[in-house]
Structures are given as structure tokens and as C-alpha cells.
Amino acid sequence: MPDKDELFYKKKSVYDILNEDELVKADAYCEEYKAFLNSAKTERESVAEAIRLASGCGFLPYKRGMELSAGTKTFLSAGGKALILAVIGKEPLSAGVNIAAAHIDAPRIDLKQVPLYEDSEMAFFKTHYYGGIKKYQWVAQPLALHGVVIKKDGSAVNIVIGEDPTDPVFMITDLLPHLGKDQEKKTLGEAFTGENLNILIGSRPTGEEKDENRFKHTIMQILNDKYGIIEEDFISAEIEAVPAMNARDIGFDRSMIGAYAHDDRSCAFAALRAIMDIGVPARTAICILADKEEVGSDGVSGMQSAMFEGFMEDLCSAGSVKLRDCFSSSFCLSVDVCNAYDPNFADVSEKLNSAKLGCGMSLCKFTGARGKSGSSDASAEVVAMLRQVFAEKGVVWQMAELGKVDQGGGGTIAKFMANRNIDTIDAGVPVLSMHAPYEIVAKVDCYMTNRGIAAIYGRE
Ligand code: MN
Ligand code: MN
């Protein structure tokens, strides 16, 4: 008769399972992850940094008709905003591929296409927020501007300002509490409006008192001087305001990392690191770093795009395999963050089924809302397979659920992979303060997510 320990399911802290050597490895891994976060604050920068790292590990840009044999490492960029990496395995593609799919876009404040104006002796940028933000969190915060301006002749100007300690930063103003009588009566959702998230960018005039647009003039002069752009160039630009803060250790014990966009770069980096570390896998390994997840995965760089099929079709036709035969034998770990149980907001979660900080990679059988609506809901067979693989490879994992039943909900790219007839399940890093400008994760959970993905790539 099994004893109680065997009979009962219990979440365990990674600290109670890993030995000291492994904890040192986890810390070293997290130093690399923090460096990645600091050099990749947008989807474009994430792609560029991933390509830089992968190129150092022997990955070559994918070209149609290139030699594909066991051990070939290649990557395909979707316009510099999403990335697919592949390591060709020993087995034919009819045996299926092992996929880890993360996203590299994150909630932020985008500039509008005609952003620049002045008002009351100040210059501002108009914005349109991207993804699910709580607007009040983005005011009175130092912001950096990252992005690209594509000029009429097609040339690109990269912009990063606000990251170097000597750079200026930018801010959205908040109301002083002394005059907050009316504001305080409003709900969180009403007190800050999207249209009022205007970024303060200057307050020094050019020219003489009689001149018009003197504050705007100063800004355009500086931008023209520094980047060679004119106001019309904003129309074909993608400039994102992101928190001007680097990743830092959190807590006296340094057990956590605070940073912008752990969702979903904690999983994106875990997948990237894992595919860079495999030798020649049995089955072909695929790592996807998708864009547009935070707004529904539409568009050419989103996971609903045919770009993925196009790439996989190429790989399949090189081995005379039908794409549908490859997909039906494939497995996808949709690696995305989940909410970590927060005792300060205990009433939105059901404790038994919530992911806990420090208890390892979280598995989410389903996401969605209400009656599991909008969820692909992985099969029991898929979950059982993961239990087996993770047990073999010593991956510490836990079951997770996105809040109490009927409390809200959300989705990931899982359903878009599953709809392609690929067995898919969500797994990833539990996050505190998800979608806030500065989110929190546990270092051991980041490491375990990397180990979990590596276990999937190593699956026979
Ligand atoms: Mn996510
Ligand atoms: Mn998200």
C-alpha cells in the first residue's frame, strides 16, 4: 500500500528539490535572462537579440532550397517582428516536430501616427496603448522610447532613448492629490482614459515670442538633428514607450527578478536558450517567438499567420512529407506566463489550483473564460505525456489555473497551434503583477521553464 506521500498530490517548492549545484546553475541562467531583458524591450529588439545569440550558436538564416540535414540550425524572421528557429532532427518530419512557442510582444504605449503637438508651453506625443494595460500604472513613470522610423525611401532609423543613464526619459503626468477630489470618486477604469495618455517630451521654445509652434519646433529640430527625420516620417514609424527600468533582483534573498515584460520574454528566452543548447535532436525542434499575442495573434507576425505553415511546408517538402502528417504527429508547448497566486488578492484565485511562486514551471490544461470558452483544452493524454517526460528529466512543475471560475480569463497562442491539429498545452512561468510596467517572477521558475522546454526538445 503506497504511503500518504505517494497517495497525495502536493505542490513542492523548487528549493526543496534542487541541490545547491543546480541552484547555482539557476542563478547563472537568470543572469543571462536579465541581460536578454535589458537588450530586448520590444518585439523587434527581441528578434534582433535572438538572432544575434542564435548566430553565435551556429544558426544560419533560412533560405529556400538550403541543405537540411540532421543537426542543421536555421532561423526565419517575419519582417524582424517574429522569429522561427529550427534544429533539424534525425527522424523524418512525418514523425512530427517538438515545438516551443512563446510571444515577444508585451503591453506598452505606442505613439500615434501623427503624435506631436504642443499645449500650454509644453510639447507632447499622442499615444494609443497596446495590449491589456491598467492605465493608471503608466502615469508618473519614467518611460523610454524604442522603435523604428521607416523613411519614404525605405531606409530605417532605429530609435532607443531613455535607457542610457545619461539619456533623458519621458513621462505621462498624473494629477496632484490636492486636486483629486473628483478623480478619487471615479473607478480605476474611468479615472484614466486612453486619449489622455499623452507623453510629455519638452518645454523649451525655439525662436521668438511671436512665432507659432515654438515648442514643437524645438522637438523637431532635435529629432532632425539626431535622426534625420521630419514630422511626416512618424506616419511610417513604430515607436513604443516602455518602462525606462532595467531588470533587477527583488528581495533580500535575491530570489526574484523584477522587470518589464516577463510576459512573455521569460518563456521566450527559456525556449531560445533551450533550442540553442540542443545537439542533434531525435525529432526536429522548433522555437517560435511570435508577435501580436497581446492583441489576438492576428497579422503577418502573429501566430494565426500562414508564415508558420509556409516555413513548415518548406521543411516538409524537403523530406517529401505532407504538412498535415507532420502536424498531426507534432507536439507544441505553448510557453506563456500564468498568474502566480498572490495572497494580497486571494479572493480572485482558488488556492488549490493556482500556480505558486517558486513551485516550478506551471502547466495550464485550459485557459479561456466562463465555461472554458476560447480554450483549446489539452487532452488528458497530453498532460499524462508531460507528467512522464518531466518526471524522467527532473523538471519541477505544478498545475495552474487562470483565476477563479467566472472571475475573468484570458487566452494564449495555444488554440491557434491546436487548431492546426497539433497537440498543444500551455506551460510557463508564474508571474506576480502581470501586465504591470514592472512584473515579478521567481528565478527558480524561470530556470525550471527552461528545463521543461529542454525536456520536450529531448523527447524521443
Ligand atoms: Mn503572455
Ligand atoms: Mn499577456
Side-chain angles (χ1 to χ4, degrees), residues 103 105 262-265 293-294 335-338 411-412 434-435:
H103 68 90
D105 60 319
H262 285 308
D263 177 8
D264 182 31
R265 292 186 197 134
E293 190 276 342
E294 296 294 356
V335 278
D336 204 343
V337 300
C338 71
T412 64
M434 196 199 291
H435 281 208

Side-chain angles (χ1 to χ4, degrees), residues 335-412:
V335 278
D336 204 343
V337 300
C338 71
N339 58 310
Y341 179 81
D342 186 341
N344 294 307
F345 300 97
D347 53 344
V348 302
S349 291
E350 183 267 287
K351 218 169 177 177
L352 193 59
N353 284 280
S354 296
K356 277 200 208 149
L357 206 71
C359 291
M361 183 186 210
S362 62
L363 289 190
C364 239
K365 187 174 180 296
F366 54 86
T367 57
R370 303 179 305 281
K372 303 192 182 182
S373 180
S375 164
S376 48
D377 201 356
S379 72
E381 286 83 349
V382 166
V383 185
M385 180 276 284
L386 282 181
R387 286 174 60 198
Q388 173 78 21
V389 171
F390 288 168
E392 277 168 17
K393 298 285 169 69
V395 177
V396 185
W397 62 277
Q398 55 180 323
M399 225 39 218
E401 177 186 59
L402 183 52
K404 266 184 184 169
V405 179
D406 285 339
Q407 184 68 40
T412 64

Side-chain angles (χ1 to χ4, degrees), residues 36 46 50-51 54 59 74-77 82-88 97-104 264-265 267-278 283-290 303 307-308 311-312 315 331-333 335 413 417 450 453 456-457:
F36 178 79
S46 299
I51 289 177
F59 282 76
T74 187
F75 64 83
L76 178 69
S77 155
L83 189 70
I84 304 179
L85 303 103
V87 179
I88 306 300
V97 298
N98 290 317
I99 305 167
H103 68 90
I104 45 174
D264 182 31
R265 292 186 197 134
C267 299
F269 182 74
L272 177 66
R273 187 68 264 173
I275 199 164
M276 291 192 304
D277 288 341
I278 48 176
R283 283 187 223 183
T284 294
I286 304 283
C287 168
I288 302 173
L289 306 179
M303 209 56 244
M307 183 243 185
F308 174 62
F311 178 70
M312 291 304 297
L315 298 192
F331 173 71
C332 176
L333 209 53
V335 278
I413 62 167
M417 300 306 287
N450 167 260
I453 297 165
I456 291 304
Y457 283 150

